[in-house]
Amino acid sequence: FSLEMVHVDSLRTDERSRLLLGTTIDPISGLTSAFFSTELRLSQTAVDFGDNPVCDSVEFVLRFNGPSYGLNADQYLVVEQLADTISIDSAYYAQDIPETIPGNLVDPASQPVQMHPSQSVYVGSDTLSAQVRMLLDSNFGQSLIDADSSVFASNAAWREHFKGLQVRSESGGGGIVSLEPNAGVSYLRLHYHNATDTTTYDFILNANAARIGHFRHSWSSEFQALND
């Protein structure tokens, strides 16, 4: 028999009920990577950060939702800003990978990131539920705070200003986990203080946020020709 590869993408990966993130190695078939691009939505409009607001820290929290694949281990994660807008009204397929602005936003001191769906996360003396929790560059957080107030007037204005994020793993294994994109429990949280108060503001993932799942596979050496 003969086999011929026909390059037609029919797998829609937008607005799925789970986001998949991570890498896993099968000794026969090779390395599989799952990653995603997503918008962030305003948790409230017309936010006022107060007088002289200063970002103290930024955390990106992704809640688990469903099964994991492969053996779970900490992974080196990359978070980059999208270069252009994605739309919830458009159809996206597995090969539709948006361009990003180079530059990993994850704080190097927080790498590798814990990615185990049944292990608690410890932050100082606090015990948090199992989650993927990334600390991001506080300068990135400050750039969000410093945006013109008109940016926060509506989600439409916000998405014109901030296109979204792409999240991927650069580890050679560590498992692929399922994450919750719909219920507003995955979020980017700004911790900041101003002249009178110390508080937080959340950008959230919910059912109105456009998102795309991406997948890559690298075959093991004896099947290397299939990579083409």
Side-chain angles (χ1 to χ4, degrees), residues 184-228:
V185 296
S186 296
Y187 52 84
L188 178 80
R189 175 166 291 170
L190 291 178
H191 296 263
Y192 68 97
H193 68 272
N194 54 35
T196 59
D197 199 9
T198 299
T199 185
T200 63
Y201 180 81
D202 291 347
F203 302 92
I204 59 174
L205 277 69
N206 61 21
N208 294 318
R211 57 193 181 275
I212 316 167
H214 314 301
F215 305 94
R216 288 192 179 123
H217 187 80
S218 298
W219 289 88
S220 57
S221 55
E222 64 179 305
F223 302 110
Q224 202 72 37
L226 292 176
N227 288 328
D228 298 330

Side-chain angles (χ1 to χ4, degrees), residues 9-14 92-97 212-215:
D9 190 351
S10 60
L11 179 63
R12 281 193 65 171
T13 60
D14 54 319
Y92 296 99
Y93 296 82
Q95 293 171 9
D96 293 328
I97 302 177
I212 316 167
H214 314 301
F215 305 94

